[in-house]
């Protein structure tokens, strides 16, 4: 037990000593392995009670000065921290003076012997006092820090205090009022020039002191060349000579001080504005220290004889380089650069690129890659995450290209082309994959910049391209080499091609995708060069693939690839992997052969497409995907992937084929017909359940593209297409997997439904095609429609349920019948494709045809729905997806009677009991079914005109009386988003259901007050929106706030009398309370804007009535504080000022509550 009884002098000392021993015993017990959790809770409660007592800080002061127990010291400092940050207002002024006097003395006396984490904590506690009391009651707070820095004995301590002050005072937490935050920032800004001068002096003096004694190294064989480039970068031989001086060897104490000074600078640069306070002298000094990170000579000297102490010294020197680059990057991240600072910025770039040239310079002792590997060693930066010099340097390059290149490129003193040459060497010698990815991102930024620059300056496009042409061609060539095993096997084999990341791609896929994006961007700028670089490489690998046929031999079990030598198999594996990558590259470039450049690049594109058609047919004819190989686990997946990628690459050229068909085919129709027919010959053998799914789906997607995008008139007459028609409608054939089945049906449907290009309406043969399409759908849905006969007889419902289950179970088995699910997916796909044509006439025609042959399917689906709902939620889910598709594409053609029938079926099916049962199982299929139903209603309520208006009362009733009561108080987000979207659609698309007003009335009355109808329903919907803002789901909050803002923008919601008089300030109150409670802090900006839009409807009422009432209702603050809050809320009426006032009010209200909670009981507030 800790004794807190106050005793006279000697007894008092004895009491403190006894308390100290008791505390040490408790802390030791608390952290002992054998202490139970229950005992730990008892000790924790005891310590918390002790900390809350008045006068506890006196004991803690004694503990700090008398113990060497780290736990006790940390606990004592925590007591002080709690006292200062939460109870300081209630501490008597005499006690405050004593604390302000004693803690700095304690720090000064023991800072060299205290553990670093205790010392840092004590520094923070003293800074916390300064945060509260400087300068009024603690006038020498900052002066003391400056004095500590200036005294050689206490310089490190002063720098730690300075950095802590910058961290805690420049961007303080919310436990200060806005006025105090502004005052602290102003006070610190007043000290910036002095502080920067001090830090510059410290760094310069240490550098100069050790430079005098530094040994001069022998001249480098390439030093003259280095100096020339450096002089051109810096436009100053003297500056180049200065930066070429040898790096001094610092003692441990000097390195420690420099590290602290650079850390201070990095944090200061994060918040001070760019100004002349940041002098050229300071920048030059920072760059001197940045050289520590890129000088391997210094690192090696520090690891002589393998001494662990020297190794630590090497880490310290590496840390200096990392910290200096952190300072540079903080300056680089500022986009707003004053005119007077631009010259400094140019100097910084020049000096940094000297470092880049130094890093990428080759000599006899080092290759570039080995140097980068050494510089990529991670160093700990005083408690922060380990960082490497290369990471920091890459960050700098990214900032330079993304933020400042446009500003610097125009300077004749800065050689941009030479910089790109250095960046090229830096990129392609990166020691890690992540480093290489980061550099590719930088090149992508540069290529985007160049593309936008050319588009904005078309007049001198050629001059700009000529300037960068060599660099871009070199980049393209090297990126292509890096994705090929032929040149980069060792690194590529390290890439993981199995584990998926958050973007659902493997490391290999990410590597390839980023590389191909760079290739594509170069292609956009230099199409001819890019094609002439890529196609020969593709051709080389294609020759290997096409030559495999000579090695195929017949064996007893089929065909076998007669390549067995290990080395040959490895070479073939590498060639196939490269071919797969290059096919993806060729596909990625397809977009650069169409549109305005079609004619100019026609021959190149034709060459590519002919090769792709040839290779796809070759793969299908000799069936390499089924061939036996010596290494089946490696070569077979390679052969399948190449075949799939060739199909995918050909699919990418579908738009080119469509343009070929429109513009050129009349001149040379045989060539076009040959391409399409051959492609279809390659596809047909792959439309089989025996083909691997990856290859099957690639073939199906290509078929869809040919049928949808190209659409030649002769497509339906090609034997290969006829074969697919027969295959898909043959009930005895083995069924394709669902995805493939849907894709093939979509393709065949589009062949019949979409218009043929280049032909007039009279030659489209719609009558024949419509009949054929009806026959296709009939064949695909035969068994599904047969369920109707069973549905008619109530006594056969059991058999019907059994049949549905049977059809569902057949899914995935070798059964001739389509399952319910697959039938529905085929129908949905057909409806989606037909109802989303680019041509309105095509859409209308499709809808007319659909009405003819889909009527029986509607009837079957409606009859089955109620049965399926009782036995399989997943079947119901699929059926509702189909109905949703119907409503989205064919709601008008279905007509009111049928729509009414379906809606009524839904309403009967979704009783309150059924809804509750579905919704109460979180994340279940039942929830998805309800969500689909609500989506269907969303489609219904937003249909213009009067056709579906009779459904509105039922829809609103369902929402507010059946669904909303179930979900209102549940924390689960299920169904809520869809329900509120439906309510929003009801309001947005049916405004006149609630507010009626005529044009004549508006003219006569000036500002019309609409006649209000269905007021109770409107109020209930608004009440539901208001309640949603009190729930923790931030996504729902954001969605609903957006809906209200949209209704205000489109319909002037906030201006309506009912909202203005009965709801407006209730919503404002809720939004302010949300800000005060910080429950949705990510939406501060959106909430502030919405509050302004609501208040702006009646600013007079807001300032004269709402604000005083809001403040009066606030608990935890006294009347004087409420008056201050009211006075500080200026009566501004513009958005930026108003939202600033809102956030000030919220911050200060929280601050006052915190202050009042910290006061001891019985405190008298004046």
């Amino acid at each position: 037990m800790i004794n807190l009884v106050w005793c006279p002098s000697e007894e008092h000392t004895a009491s403190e000593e006894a308390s100290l021993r008791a505390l040490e015993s408790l802390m030791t017990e608390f952290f002992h392995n054998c202490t139970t959790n229950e005992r730990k809770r008892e000790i924790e409660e005891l310590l918390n009670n002790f900390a809350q007592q008045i006068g506890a800080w006196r004991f803690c002061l004694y503990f700090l000065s008398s113990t060497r127990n780290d736990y006790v010291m940390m606990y004592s400092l925590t007591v002080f921290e709690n006292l200062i940050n939460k109870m300081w207002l209630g501490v008597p002024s005499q006690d405050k003076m004593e604390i302000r006097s004693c803690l700095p003395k304690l720090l000064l006396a023991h800072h060299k012997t205290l553990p670093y984490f205790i010392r840092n904590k004590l520094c923070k506690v003293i800074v916390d006092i300064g945060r509260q009391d400087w300068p009024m009651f603690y006038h020498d707070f900052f002066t003391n820090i400056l004095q500590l820095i200036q005294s050689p004995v206490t310089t490190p301590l002063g720098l730690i205090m300075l950095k802590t002050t910058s961290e805690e005072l420049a961007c303080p937490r919310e436990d200060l009022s806005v006025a105090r935050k502004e005052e602290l920032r102003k006070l610190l800004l007043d000290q910036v020039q002095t502080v920067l001068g001090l830090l510059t002096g410290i760094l310069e003096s240490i550098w100069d002191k050790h430079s005098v004694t530094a040994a001069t190294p022998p001249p480098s064989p390439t030093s003259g060349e280095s100096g020339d480039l450096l002089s051109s970068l810096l436009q100053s031989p003297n500056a180049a000579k200065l930066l070429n001086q040898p790096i001094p060897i610092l003692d441990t104490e000097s390195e420690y001080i420099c590290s602290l000074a650079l850390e201070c600078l990095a944090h200061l640069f994060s918040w001070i504005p760019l100004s002349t306070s940041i002098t050229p002298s300071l920048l030059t000094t920072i760059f001197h220290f940045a050289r520590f990170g890129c000088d391997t000579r210094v690192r090696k000297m520090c690891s002589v004889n393998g001494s662990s102490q020297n190794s630590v010294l090497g880490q310290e020197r590496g840390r200096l380089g990392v910290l200096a680059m952190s300072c540079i990057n903080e300056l680089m991240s500022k986009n707003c650069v004053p005119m007077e600072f631009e010259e400094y910025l140019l100097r910084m770039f020049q000096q940094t690129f000297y470092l880049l040239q130094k890093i990428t310079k080759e000599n006899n002792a080092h290759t570039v890659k080995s140097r980068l590997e050494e510089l990529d060693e991670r160093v700990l930066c005083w408690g922060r995450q380990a960082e490497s010099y290369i990471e920091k340097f890459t960050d700098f390059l990214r900032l330079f290209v993304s933020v400042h290149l446009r500003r610097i490129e125009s300077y004749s003193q800065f050689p941009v082309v030479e910089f790109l040459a250095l960046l090229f060497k830096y990129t392609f010698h990166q020691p890690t994959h992540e480093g290489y990815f980061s550099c590719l991102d930088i090149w992508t930024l540069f290529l985007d910049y160049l593309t936008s620059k050319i588009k904005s300056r078309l007049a001198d496009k050629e001059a700009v391209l000529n300037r960068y042409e060599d660099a871009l061609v070199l980049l393209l060539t090297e990126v292509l080499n890096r994705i090929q095993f032929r040149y980069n096997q060792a690194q590529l084999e390290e890439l993981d091609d199995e584990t998926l990341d958050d973007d659902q791609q493997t490391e290999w896929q990410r590597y390839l995708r980023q590389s191909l994006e760079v290739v594509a961007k170069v292609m956009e700028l230099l199409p001819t060069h890019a094609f002439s670089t890529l196609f020969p490489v593709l051709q080389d690998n294609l020759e290997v693939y096409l030559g495999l046929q000579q090695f195929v031999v017949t064996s007893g079990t089929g065909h076998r690839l007669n390549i067995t030598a290990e080395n040959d198999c490895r070479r073939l594996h590498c060639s196939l992997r490269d071919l797969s990558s290059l096919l993806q590259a060729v596909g990625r470039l397809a977009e650069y052969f169409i549109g305005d450049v079609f004619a100019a690049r026609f021959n190149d594109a034709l060459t590519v497409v002919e090769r792709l058609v040839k290779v796809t047919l070759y793969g299908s004819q000799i069936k390499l995907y089924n061939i036996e190989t010596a290494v089946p686990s490696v070569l077979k997946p390679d052969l399948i992937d190449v075949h799939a990628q060739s199909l995918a690459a050909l699919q990418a050229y579908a738009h080119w084929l469509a343009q070929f068909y429109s513009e050129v085919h009349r001149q040379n129709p045989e060539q076009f017909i040959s391409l399409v027919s051959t492609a279809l010959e390659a596809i047909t053998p792959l439309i089989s359940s025996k083909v691997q799914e990856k290859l099957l789906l690639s073939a199906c997607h290509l078929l869809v593209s040919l049928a949808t995008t190209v659409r030649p008139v002769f497509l339906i007459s090609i034997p290969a297409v006829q074969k697919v028609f027969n295959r898909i409608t043959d009930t005895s054939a083995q069924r394709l997997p669902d995805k493939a089945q849907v894709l093939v049906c979509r393709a065949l449907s589009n062949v019949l439904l979409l218009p043929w290009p280049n032909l007039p309406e009279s030659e489209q043969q719609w009558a024949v095609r419509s009949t054929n399409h009806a026959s296709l759908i009939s064949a695909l849905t035969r068994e599904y429609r047969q369920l109707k006969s069973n549905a008619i007889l109530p006594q056969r419902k059991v058999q019907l349920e059994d049949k549905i289950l049977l059809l569902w179970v057949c899914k995935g088995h070798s059964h001739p019948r389509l399952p319910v699910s697959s039938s529905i997916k085929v129908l949905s796909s057909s409806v989606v494709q037909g109802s989303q044509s680019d041509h309105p006439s095509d859409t209308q025609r499709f809808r007319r045809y659909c009405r003819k042959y889909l009527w029986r399917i509607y009837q079957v689906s409606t009859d089955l729905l109620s049965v399926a709902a009782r036995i399989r939620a997943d079947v119901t889910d699929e059926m509702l997806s189909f109905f949703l598709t119907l409503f989205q594409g064919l709601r008008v053609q279905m007509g009111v009677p049928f729509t009414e029938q379906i809606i009524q079926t839904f309403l009967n099916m979704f009783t309150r009991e059924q809804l509750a049962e579905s919704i109460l199982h979180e994340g279940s299929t039942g929830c998805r079914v309800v969500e689909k139903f609500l989506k269907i209603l969303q489609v219904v309520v937003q249909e213009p005109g009067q056709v579906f208006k009779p459904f509105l009362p039922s829809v609103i009733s369902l929402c507010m009386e059946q669904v909303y009561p179930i979900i209102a108080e549940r924390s689960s987000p299920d169904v809520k988003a869809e329900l509120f979207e439906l309510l929003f659609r009801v309001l947005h698309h049916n405004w006149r259901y609630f507010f009626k007003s005529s044009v004549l009335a508006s003219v006569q009355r000036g500002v019309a007050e609409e006649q209000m109808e269905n007021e109770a329903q409107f109020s209930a919907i608004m009440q539901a929106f208001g309640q949603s803002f009190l729930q923790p789901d931030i996504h729902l909050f954001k969605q609903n706030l957006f809906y209200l803002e949209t209704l205000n923008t489109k319909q002037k919601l906030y201006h309506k009398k009912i909202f203005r008089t009965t709801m407006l300030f209730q919503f404002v109150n809720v939004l302010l309370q949300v800000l005060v409670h910080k429950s949705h802090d990510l939406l501060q900006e959106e909430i502030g804007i919405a509050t302004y839009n609501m208040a702006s409807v009646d600013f007079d009422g807001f300032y004269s009535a709402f604000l005083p009432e809001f403040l009066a209702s606030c608990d935890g603050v006294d009347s004087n504080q409420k008056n201050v809050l009211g006075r500080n809320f200026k009566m501004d009426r513009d958005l930026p000022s108003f939202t600033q006032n809102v956030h000030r009010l919220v911050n200060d209200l929280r601050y006052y509550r915190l202050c009042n909670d910290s006061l001891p009981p019985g405190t008298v507030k004046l």
Side-chain angles (χ1 to χ4, degrees), residues 4-70:
L4 268 180
V5 179
W6 186 262
C7 306
S9 189
E10 292 181 7
E11 294 180 10
H12 170 55
T13 304
S15 171
E16 288 175 331
E17 183 66 24
S19 296
L20 174 58
R21 299 295 160 246
L23 180 58
E24 288 177 340
S25 174
L26 282 173
M27 298 304 289
T28 303
E29 181 184 0
F30 184 87
F31 288 102
H32 195 277
N33 292 336
C34 298
T35 306
T36 64
N37 287 336
E38 185 178 351
R39 176 57 180 157
K40 286 185 176 183
R41 282 192 293 271
E42 291 175 5
I43 295 173
E44 192 173 7
E45 186 177 354
L46 182 64
L47 296 175
N48 287 338
N49 291 338
F50 171 74
Q52 295 299 321
Q53 297 184 62
I54 298 172
W57 66 269
R58 293 187 182 277
F59 283 83
C60 291
L61 197 58
Y62 173 77
F63 299 158
L64 284 170
S65 60
S66 306
T67 188
R68 286 295 169 262
N69 186 306
D70 292 349

Side-chain angles (χ1 to χ4, degrees), residues 280-403:
S281 174
L282 174 56
L283 294 177
T284 301
T285 303
I286 292 172
F287 277 100
H288 279 317
F289 282 94
R291 291 167 59 201
F292 274 103
C294 63
D295 197 298
T296 53
R297 181 182 63 86
V298 173
R299 290 175 178 236
K300 286 193 170 181
M301 289 178 66
C302 296
S303 54
V304 175
N305 300 325
S307 161
S308 61
Q309 180 180 357
N310 285 328
S311 179
V312 171
L313 288 175
Q315 286 278 314
E316 293 285 346
R317 289 170 174 80
R319 181 183 298 129
L320 289 177
V322 171
L323 291 171
M325 286 306 302
S326 295
C327 295
I328 295 166
N329 288 348
E330 286 293 349
L331 293 174
M332 290 301 94
S333 64
K334 299 179 187 297
N335 197 1
C336 183
V337 180
M339 285 292 292
E340 64 272 13
F341 197 78
E342 285 202 358
E343 186 180 345
Y344 293 2
L345 207 60
L346 176 61
R347 185 172 299 158
M348 289 177 67
F349 294 138
Q350 291 169 335
Q351 293 176 329
T352 310
F353 295 128
Y354 158 69
L355 298 178
L356 179 58
Q357 187 264 341
K358 190 174 177 65
I359 288 172
T360 54
K361 182 179 69 176
E362 295 196 45
N363 56 37
N364 296 333
H366 279 90
T367 64
V368 176
K369 187 165 186 177
S370 67
R371 179 183 290 107
L372 291 179
E373 284 174 348
E374 289 186 31
L375 302 184
D376 199 39
E377 294 176 5
R378 292 173 176 271
V379 292
L380 287 168
C381 290
W382 302 110
R384 293 206 303 266
Q385 183 180 0
E387 298 171 302
S388 82
Y389 189 76
I390 292 300
E391 285 176 352
K392 288 292 180 183
F393 210 95
T394 303
D395 288 343
F396 167 82
L397 294 171
R398 182 186 297 106
L399 289 167
F400 169 72
V401 172
S402 61
V403 180

Side-chain angles (χ1 to χ4, degrees), residues 644 647-648 651 680 682-684 686-689 691-708 724 728 736-748:
L647 291 163
Q651 183 196 355
L680 286 164
I683 292 171
T684 308
L686 304 176
I687 308 293
S688 166
S689 56
V691 174
Q692 294 86 352
E693 187 173 12
K694 180 177 186 177
L695 194 50
L696 170 60
L697 291 177
S698 292
C700 293
H701 282 293
L702 176 55
L703 180 62
V704 170
S705 292
L706 291 174
T708 308
V724 175
I728 211 71
L736 297 175
D738 272 1
K739 286 183 181 178
Q741 183 83 15
V742 169
L743 288 170
V744 173
C745 292
R746 179 186 302 170
L748 299 180

Side-chain angles (χ1 to χ4, degrees), residues 902-967:
I902 294 178
I903 297 296
Q904 196 57 53
T905 302
F906 290 156
L907 295 175
N908 294 338
M909 186 174 73
F910 291 106
T911 62
R912 180 154 187 175
E913 294 74 21
Q914 181 72 36
L915 286 167
E917 184 180 344
S918 298
I919 294 172
L920 291 175
H921 294 88
E922 291 185 19
S924 66
T925 306
C927 284
R928 292 201 302 274
V929 167
V930 176
E931 289 170 354
K932 292 266 176 66
F933 174 44
L934 296 176
K935 284 181 180 294
I936 290 172
L937 295 180
Q938 290 170 20
V939 175
V940 171
V941 300
Q942 63 185 311
E943 180 65 27
Q946 298 299 312
V947 178
F948 297 125
K949 299 306 177 190
F951 296 120
L952 274 180
S954 300
V955 170
I956 297 172
S957 175
L958 174 82
C959 292
M960 302 312 302
E961 296 172 17
Q962 297 192 53
V963 181
Y964 180 69
I966 300 171
I967 67 168

Side-chain angles (χ1 to χ4, degrees), residues 956-982:
I956 297 172
S957 175
L958 174 82
C959 292
M960 302 312 302
E961 296 172 17
Q962 297 192 53
V963 181
Y964 180 69
I966 300 171
I967 67 168
E969 300 304 323
R970 299 182 71 239
S971 58
S972 169
D974 292 337
V975 182
K976 288 182 181 177
E978 282 70 23
L979 174 66
F980 281 102
E981 183 176 354
L982 174 55

